[in-house]
Amino acid sequence: MEKLDARIRNHDREIEKMCNFHHQGFVDAITELLKVRADAEKLMGQVSDTNRRLQDAGREVTAQTEEVIRCRIQQRNMATTVEKLQLCIPVLEMYSKLKEQLESKSKGTWVRKCFFNFVGFLLKVLTVQDLVDFSPVYRCLHIYTVLGDRETFENYYRKQRKKQARLVLQPQSNMHETVEDCYFEDSYCNDPDLVLELKNLIVIFADTLQGYGFPVNRLFDLLFEVRDQYNETLLKKWALVFRDIFEQDNYSPIPVENEEEYKAVISRFPFHDAEIEKQQFPKKLPMSQSVPQIYSQVKEFIYASLKFSESLHRSSTEIDDMLRKSTNLLLTRTLSSCLQNLIKKPHIGLTELVQIIINTTHLEHACKYLEDFITNITNVSPETVHTTRLYGLSTFKDARHAAEGEIYTKLNQKIDEFIQLADYEWGMAESDGRASGYLMDLINFLRSTFQVFTHLPGKVAQTACMSACKHLATSLMQMLLDTELKQISMGLSGTLDSYGLSSIHHSEPVPGFQGDTLQLAFIDLRQLLDLFMVWDWSTYLADYGQPTSKYLRVNPSTALALLEKYVVMKDTSKKNIIFSQFRKNDRDKQKLIETVVKQLRSLVNGMSQHS
């Protein structure tokens, strides 16, 4: 503390010296600033006065300039008006003569001649040559021709004109989607009603021109391009419709309380089931609410697509073909994409996936009714040679396969969650005959889930059940062989046995399994646990490699890894000075374990050398 105080005093003296050294300079700087402030205030006043006088002088000049600009604009407008009126004089004279003839009610040859002359005059007056001065272009063309390089000029001129045309035809950014503001070359319209209105205008225009004898083939070619755009806008619109339907669905069977509600459902969706029809009200239909809604919206799409085909002077076969192609696109692209996105959403659980599989099954069966629906509105027989078939069945099959795969994935993830919560007492000396509470929750979850699977097709339910059991058996085996698990007791085998593995495959959770098929999922784990429960090492070692071995599925490496965990525990117990409490049979079992470990290591080494 004394040294610290001394150092502080030294610093204080240095600070005081520094302040004394710079004090006079600081005082001088402040004095100079005070002198400058008075001069600065005087200068600011002079600048303000000069600015005011400049503003007053410029205000009069600005007013005179604006007046000159206004006069020049008026003069230019007047010259333009006179020029346009001079161009209109012949038209007005011809129109006045035509009006006089009409008022005198003369509908003879002269009137028709006068009308056609009037139209011809308009076509000859409003020419590009009259509106644009091409003399500079002609001069350039002449120069390049004299130089022998006319082709270069022509290519350059055409290229520049194409660029200008694209700039002129490009719609403005603030343009609204209306018929008045629409560009035919604009292919980014998202309103199907607007596209349909444009189609009607083109048809009327084409029919009018055709009536006067003009060729309109290119206009109808344009209509086919517009038709493709119309179908694209419809697909985008119905993608939003399908998405809303799936988001609002509760994925539960449709309840019907009475005959009236039942008829209301089947009037929107072709559902027929003799067993359900025999049931008393209230009852439930197997599909959820989205199924009749999707079916109705597909029919609405067909009607919307048909609107564009009207008045196109096409045969019923061509219209039928166009409808079927657009409907196929709706099913295989739009609806399929919506279904695939729905299945992958995180909030869709196992129950919802099961309902989606049921829904897609009923929608697939309803495709034949859509075929009949198109046939009825186009009056084309489905047996026609060139009729396009609805191949949207693949949409629902693919969605079902995706939902089935998601069921297997989510079920295994749920099993992993339960396994992670399992709180096993690995060091218990004897089994208490009960499974862990977490593991019993898993058993109950699997039973309830398998009960839901009974609504699925038989093979799907069996595959899901087998996949879950295999994943469960694999997870338990990995839990036993985990390197983090250093010691394990003899009571473990009984605890795992009471875990309920046998109760799963003996209770036949899903009907349809033949014999002991489901037990095969647990056979590796079952034989391993039996070997440790019975402690039948002599039989295992004697029959190893024989096809009739009782423990054929027990790998020596697996048995060795698990048995070494028992050895580790015994060694640890020795260190804890508990060895003195062992009975004679415990010491004999320890010697047996050491002997079996040596033999298992010999088998494992032999296998590695053989491989």
Side-chain angles (χ1 to χ4, degrees), residues 355-368:
Q355 188 62 57
I356 290 173
I357 292 177
I358 297 172
N359 290 350
T360 53
T361 302
H362 287 282
L363 287 171
E364 180 180 354
H365 294 161
C367 277
K368 61 180 181 180

Side-chain angles (χ1 to χ4, degrees), residues 13-24:
R13 284 194 296 270
E14 291 178 359
I15 292 172
E16 184 176 357
K17 290 179 181 179
M18 184 67 68
C19 291
N20 292 333
F21 179 77
H22 291 287
H23 175 70
Q24 186 59 40

Side-chain angles (χ1 to χ4, degrees), residues 63-99:
Q64 293 177 356
T65 302
E66 291 177 352
E67 181 65 20
V68 171
I69 293 174
R70 187 178 62 81
C71 293
R72 290 287 179 85
I73 293 175
Q74 290 180 351
Q75 183 180 6
R76 185 182 59 190
N77 291 341
M78 292 172 62
T80 303
T81 304
V82 170
E83 181 181 356
K84 300 304 179 184
L85 288 175
Q86 289 177 349
L87 292 176
C88 294
I89 289 175
V91 180
L92 296 175
E93 291 177 352
M94 188 172 292
Y95 176 74
S96 63
K97 293 180 180 179
L98 178 62
K99 185 177 180 182

Side-chain angles (χ1 to χ4, degrees), residues 352-390:
E352 288 80 5
L353 290 171
V354 171
Q355 188 62 57
I356 290 173
I357 292 177
I358 297 172
N359 290 350
T360 53
T361 302
H362 287 282
L363 287 171
E364 180 180 354
H365 294 161
C367 277
K368 61 180 181 180
Y369 296 99
L370 291 176
E371 293 260 14
D372 298 336
F373 175 73
I374 295 176
T375 300
N376 291 334
I377 62 178
T378 58
N379 295 321
V380 175
S381 175
E383 287 75 23
T384 303
V385 178
H386 300 291
T387 299
T388 303
R389 308 297 299 180
L390 285 183

Side-chain angles (χ1 to χ4, degrees), residues 175-186 189 191-202 204:
M175 182 177 292
H176 301 288
E177 287 191 346
T178 62
V179 176
E180 291 78 12
D181 295 333
C182 183
Y183 279 55
F184 284 149
E185 292 293 328
D186 182 16
C189 178
D191 185 4
D193 295 333
L194 176 59
V195 179
L196 188 63
E197 189 173 354
L198 289 174
K199 167 256 175 182
N200 294 331
L201 291 176
I202 297 174
I204 295 173

Side-chain angles (χ1 to χ4, degrees), residues 192-423:
D193 295 333
L194 176 59
V195 179
L196 188 63
E197 189 173 354
L198 289 174
K199 167 256 175 182
N200 294 331
L201 291 176
I202 297 174
V203 169
I204 295 173
F205 182 63
D207 290 342
T208 303
L209 291 180
Q210 194 172 28
Y212 285 103
F214 292 97
V216 293
N217 293 333
R218 297 191 65 178
L219 282 176
F220 280 99
D221 292 339
L222 173 63
L223 283 175
F224 286 115
E225 296 179 7
V226 176
R227 181 196 65 188
D228 295 336
Q229 176 65 21
Y230 178 72
N231 286 334
E232 288 297 323
T233 58
L234 288 182
L235 293 175
K236 292 179 181 179
K237 178 180 178 180
W238 257 262
L240 299 176
V241 172
F242 291 153
R243 191 183 308 163
D244 292 338
I245 291 175
F246 288 139
E247 289 179 355
Q248 296 174 9
D249 194 12
N250 57 6
Y251 299 100
S252 300
I254 300 176
V256 286
E257 299 294 332
N258 47 50
E259 185 71 22
E260 183 178 355
E261 293 183 6
Y262 180 78
K263 290 182 178 179
V265 174
I266 62 175
S267 64
R268 295 184 295 144
F269 181 76
F271 173 78
H272 304 286
D273 191 307
E275 293 297 327
I276 294 181
E277 291 177 357
K278 293 178 183 178
Q279 296 176 6
Q280 298 294 325
F281 291 101
K283 52 188 175 183
K284 292 184 177 181
L285 305 184
M287 63 278 189
S288 66
Q289 192 62 47
S290 63
V291 173
Q293 293 176 350
I294 291 293
Y295 183 80
S296 300
Q297 286 300 324
V298 173
K299 293 172 65 176
E300 290 296 327
F301 175 89
I302 295 174
Y303 276 128
S305 182
L306 178 64
K307 289 181 180 179
F308 195 92
S309 302
E310 296 174 350
S311 305
L312 289 184
H313 311 298
R314 296 292 171 178
S315 65
S316 299
T317 304
E318 291 176 301
I319 294 176
D320 184 272
D321 187 69
M322 287 188 291
L323 287 181
R324 292 175 186 272
K325 287 181 178 178
S326 59
T327 305
N328 280 328
L329 281 177
L330 177 73
L331 297 178
T332 59
R333 195 171 79 182
T334 304
L335 182 56
S336 176
S337 177
C338 292
L339 282 171
Q340 295 293 337
N341 292 335
L342 172 68
I343 292 169
K344 295 297 182 181
K345 288 189 175 181
H347 71 275
I348 298 296
L350 293 172
T351 304
E352 288 80 5
L353 290 171
V354 171
Q355 188 62 57
I356 290 173
I357 292 177
I358 297 172
N359 290 350
T360 53
T361 302
H362 287 282
L363 287 171
E364 180 180 354
H365 294 161
C367 277
K368 61 180 181 180
Y369 296 99
L370 291 176
E371 293 260 14
D372 298 336
F373 175 73
I374 295 176
T375 300
N376 291 334
I377 62 178
T378 58
N379 295 321
V380 175
S381 175
E383 287 75 23
T384 303
V385 178
H386 300 291
T387 299
T388 303
R389 308 297 299 180
L390 285 183
Y391 48 85
L393 298 176
S394 61
T395 294
F396 305 113
K397 290 181 180 178
D398 295 342
R400 251 195 327 277
H401 292 327
E404 292 167 10
E406 197 69 13
I407 284 178
Y408 307 150
T409 301
K410 287 186 180 294
L411 186 57
N412 292 342
Q413 291 175 351
K414 197 67 176 178
I415 291 175
D416 291 339
E417 293 175 6
F418 279 99
I419 294 296
Q420 291 173 3
L421 294 175
D423 187 13

